[in-house]
Amino acid sequence: MVNAANQQTRATGWLVAELHRIRQVLDVLPLPEKTVAAAHSELGEAEILLLYPEPDPRRIGAALERLALVLAASGALDHAGQALSGPLGTLADWVGERGLTVRQLLA
């Protein structure tokens, strides 16, 4: 018998994996400490929200939007290319309409 928490972890585990991919890229990019701290804060918030029994795509989308804005302002989106745009795009697709700003920043 599988409990609801295990089912939820499996349902959103692939999204958490995308957040971890972003974190790994950030760990090797030459970014200012302030940018890295802000990005990690938004990643952490999105990860926590994904672990809720019923994740709210709007709230997760807001964290992703703030993350993408920080990364765009620092030039990280241009510098890292697909390494960041791939996982950010996947997450933006999952949150739906709230991911539009992220998609625009990636274009």
Side-chain angles (χ1 to χ4, degrees), residues 50-87:
L50 279 169
L51 297 176
Y52 281 15
E54 293 185 31
D56 181 351
R58 289 173 296 154
R59 290 181 67 197
I60 296 165
L64 290 176
E65 183 176 313
R66 291 188 302 269
L67 171 64
L69 288 168
V70 165
L71 296 176
S74 71
L77 291 180
D78 294 330
H79 185 71
Q82 184 63 27
L84 286 176
S85 64

Side-chain angles (χ1 to χ4, degrees), residues 5-102:
N6 285 342
Q7 288 174 338
Q8 182 59 35
T9 300
R10 281 199 302 270
T12 59
W14 64 279
L15 295 168
V16 173
E18 294 298 301
L19 293 173
H20 286 259
R21 285 180 55 200
I22 294 168
R23 192 179 305 276
Q24 289 173 332
V25 173
L26 292 177
D27 288 343
V28 298
L29 286 177
L31 297 171
E33 252 182 70
K34 187 175 181 177
T35 299
V36 173
H40 279 284
S41 175
E42 298 304 339
L43 284 167
E45 181 175 342
E47 187 171 10
I48 288 168
L49 291 169
L50 279 169
L51 297 176
Y52 281 15
E54 293 185 31
D56 181 351
R58 289 173 296 154
R59 290 181 67 197
I60 296 165
L64 290 176
E65 183 176 313
R66 291 188 302 269
L67 171 64
L69 288 168
V70 165
L71 296 176
S74 71
L77 291 180
D78 294 330
H79 185 71
Q82 184 63 27
L84 286 176
S85 64
L88 276 171
T90 298
L91 290 157
D93 289 345
W94 184 81
V95 299
E97 188 177 320
R98 185 63 182 178
L100 181 60
T101 300
V102 175

